[in-house]
Amino acid sequence: MGRITSYFGLQGEKPEVTRLAATFLGLSTSMTAAISISATFYLIFIAEALGNGSYINGLALAGVFIVVQKVVQTLLDYPTGTLGDLVGQRWVLASAFLTYSAAFYIVSLITASSPFGLFLVVYILMGVAASQESGALDSWFDNNYTLTVPEDNDKAHYGVFVGKQAMFLRISRALAILPGAFIAVLVARAFVFQIQSIACMLIAVASVMLVRDIPIKRELGQTDEVEVKYFSLLKEGARHIISSPFLKYIILGNTLFLSIGFTWAELIMYPYLYEYLTSDFAVALLMTTVFVVFAFLWERSGVWAKRFEPRRWVSRFRFIQSSGALFFWLFAIIMLVFPPSLVNSELIDVAIPFTNIVFLKVPSESIVPIFLILTVWFGGGVFFTVAAILWIRVLIDVIPNRIRNGVYSLLPTLVVLAAIPQVALIGWLISVSGIPVVLLLSGLVSSIGALLLWKGFSFQNTLVED
């Protein structure tokens, strides 16, 4: 078992660290896989139902429902995170995945004739589930790790572990979406949603059984004692951020940066890819390639990040990755230079051997732009993954354990708050002005976020003692 901690870069061979790492890796990869099975066609499925068969026509309405989901998540994210600090993360995680289970089952019932109320129920449930899930497992691990391995002062070993853990998350996502898309082609998309519903129920049970604090943490009274009142924790988490100029600016910058990335993943990415590809499996195969390459980048980023000082390099890498250098603006240029024209394009069909079932269609005119898209994606990914590891190394040192779950939930809440108007605007802009215009605006927003990060790191770092 000690080989686990050694491989993942964790300091020492303590049995409790091995159990902690194994539980965290097992649950985080299972959760990622369960939610990702339908990732490549979930939005398209909803948008087609709303647009009577046309996902482009349905994107504006889908954007409205996404806003509803994010409003619900925003209202509940910080309160449910603080609840995790109070009663324990395992109960919040179990509730989250039971809610996910209900949502995916209802999605499996949706058709083009379904009433808007059914869509509304799905997105409300998704918002409730996401609010409970966000930050819970991470804060449980970080709390236990900081108490168990106090000798990792600069969190360099922690950074290596996070990079390798992120690699496994990408692998689990890649292993999930490809069979998910394959089943959708052979059977139906609705059947995939039902599989997700069952998987989420099983994860809820596993969370209750496995997410338990190590003995040293219980002896220190970090979880079992609840003398700190709920509303006091709410106030303390917000006050901790507001009182420090360093924290205010770096969190604001990172929030803005991540918010446009969130909007890209939720509303832009899959319509962008479906403009060049014609089937669920083709998109899933491309995304599998992306996840596998990013798995390698995440694994290496934890090691690469040891060479960089976070204060100097987080904002620089964020700016290079997201703005005009290597992501949004180049994606926009690719679409302008190679506009999708799939109506008259010759399709290259790939069928299951010895059958007439075509599981992959690749338009011949899409080969060059897809190659360029992957080149840009991987080039920007190097900077993105290293910056993310450096950011996590900063965060674990400036957030006290007693309010970690609350703050870790507050941070995605802020991201969602910033993303809500972007999602509403972009859902409309895509149908009016097209995807390239949206990508150009996205690059501008992410660049502003990187500049705010740079300003934040110019202030004195404020470390905390728990």
Side-chain angles (χ1 to χ4, degrees):
M1 290 291 286
R3 293 180 180 179
I4 295 177
T5 53
S6 177
Y7 170 74
F8 284 96
L10 295 178
Q11 208 165 17
E13 299 291 340
K14 302 176 182 178
E16 56 267 29
V17 179
T18 302
R19 290 194 297 271
L20 182 67
T23 299
F24 183 60
L25 287 169
L27 278 177
S28 61
T29 53
S30 299
M31 292 173 179
T32 298
I35 295 175
S36 301
I37 297 172
S38 63
T40 55
F41 55 83
Y42 178 85
L43 174 62
I44 301 301
F45 176 82
I46 296 292
E48 284 180 350
L50 290 170
N52 292 319
S54 170
Y55 65 85
I56 292 294
N57 293 337
L59 277 178
L61 281 174
V64 173
F65 284 111
I66 291 173
V67 168
V68 171
Q69 174 182 330
K70 299 316 169 186
V71 168
V72 172
Q73 181 178 344
T74 299
L75 293 175
L76 298 178
D77 218 336
Y78 187 37
T80 56
T82 303
L83 184 64
D85 285 324
L86 190 64
V87 303
Q89 283 81 23
R90 62 187 178 131
W91 301 112
V92 175
L93 282 170
S95 176
F97 278 86
L98 286 176
T99 309
Y100 274 132
S101 177
F104 281 122
Y105 178 73
I106 296 174
V107 172
S108 71
L109 305 178
I110 284 178
T111 64
S113 60
S114 296
F116 277 13
L118 199 59
F119 293 91
L120 185 62
V121 169
V122 166
Y123 279 93
I124 289 175
L125 288 175
M126 285 292 190
V128 172
S131 71
Q132 296 175 93
E133 180 203 2
S134 68
L137 191 62
D138 291 330
S139 61
W140 170 77
F141 176 78
D142 288 357
N143 284 349
N144 285 273
Y145 179 80
T146 53
L147 290 170
T148 311
V149 194
E151 59 268 28
D152 189 10
N153 294 322
D154 62 356
K155 302 302 182 290
H157 294 278
Y158 171 84
V160 173
F161 172 78
V162 170
K164 293 180 182 293
Q165 183 253 353
M167 171 191 70
F168 276 83
L169 292 185
R170 270 67 190 176
I171 291 174
S172 67
R173 186 174 297 171
L175 293 176
I177 64 172
L178 205 56
F182 191 71
I183 293 171
V185 172
L186 290 182
V187 185
R189 289 171 171 173
F191 183 63
V192 178
F193 298 134
Q194 292 170 1
I195 292 175
Q196 284 181 282
S197 178
I198 295 171
C200 288
M201 287 175 46
L202 296 176
I203 289 173
V205 175
S207 298
V208 174
M209 296 175 62
L210 299 176
V211 181
R212 297 176 179 271
D213 292 320
I214 57 175
I216 185 175
K217 190 171 191 296
R218 289 197 293 270
E219 290 169 7
L220 290 171
Q222 296 291 328
T223 297
D224 294 335
E225 296 180 8
V226 294
E227 69 273 7
V228 180
K229 293 188 180 297
Y230 176 75
F231 289 105
S232 296
L233 288 174
L234 283 174
K235 293 177 182 178
E236 184 178 356
R239 185 171 59 247
H240 184 75
I241 294 173
I242 295 172
S243 62
S244 168
F246 168 77
L247 283 175
K248 276 192 297 188
Y249 277 101
I250 68 169
I251 287 177
L252 178 61
N254 204 62
T255 294
L256 196 58
F257 177 88
L258 293 180
S259 69
I260 197 61
F262 173 91
T263 306
W264 154 259
E266 288 285 327
L267 197 61
I268 307 172
M269 180 171 67
Y270 288 114
Y272 181 81
L273 297 177
Y274 269 87
E275 286 290 279
Y276 287 105
L277 300 169
T278 59
S279 72
D280 292 344
F281 195 79
V283 175
L285 188 61
L286 184 143
M287 290 306 301
T288 298
T289 303
V290 170
F291 291 142
V292 168
V293 173
F294 266 76
F296 166 78
L297 293 179
W298 276 106
E299 193 275 339
R300 288 289 85 199
S301 65
V303 178
W304 295 335
K306 295 171 71 174
R307 304 177 183 179
F308 300 98
E309 202 283 317
R311 288 173 59 93
R312 294 184 58 192
W313 290 101
V314 170
S315 57
R316 297 179 186 183
F317 288 157
R318 291 293 201 206
F319 183 81
I320 293 172
Q321 180 265 329
S322 65
S323 61
L326 284 175
F327 200 79
F328 289 117
W329 292 346
L330 286 182
F331 272 19
I333 291 171
I334 290 171
M335 183 163 272
L336 290 172
V337 175
F338 299 96
S341 55
L342 305 185
V343 175
N344 299 317
S345 178
E346 179 184 354
L347 295 178
I348 302 173
D349 293 345
V350 180
I352 298 175
F354 310 112
T355 73
N356 294 322
I357 300 175
V358 175
F359 69 91
L360 180 62
K361 291 177 179 286
V362 181
S364 58
E365 294 184 13
S366 295
I367 294 176
V368 172
I370 289 296
F371 173 79
L372 294 175
I373 288 169
L374 290 176
T375 302
V376 170
W377 217 330
F378 299 152
V382 174
F383 298 96
F384 174 81
T385 53
V386 174
I389 296 296
L390 295 175
W391 168 256
I392 293 170
R393 282 172 54 187
V394 171
L395 207 59
I396 191 175
D397 268 337
V398 298
I399 307 299
N401 282 353
R402 63 183 176 275
I403 58 171
R404 191 178 300 278
N405 197 167
V407 173
Y408 277 18
S409 290
L410 176 61
L411 298 184
T413 298
L414 297 176
V415 171
V416 171
L417 277 173
I420 285 173
Q422 297 175 36
V423 170
L425 177 63
I426 285 173
W428 172 74
L429 273 179
I430 288 178
S431 59
V432 174
S433 303
I435 293 177
V437 172
V438 166
L439 290 171
L440 292 172
L441 291 175
S442 299
L444 178 62
V445 173
S446 62
S447 298
I448 295 172
L451 291 174
L452 288 172
L453 271 169
W454 172 79
K455 180 175 177 61
F457 282 114
S458 68
F459 291 100
Q460 181 63 34
N461 193 348
T462 305
L463 295 179
V464 298
E465 297 292 338
D466 200 28

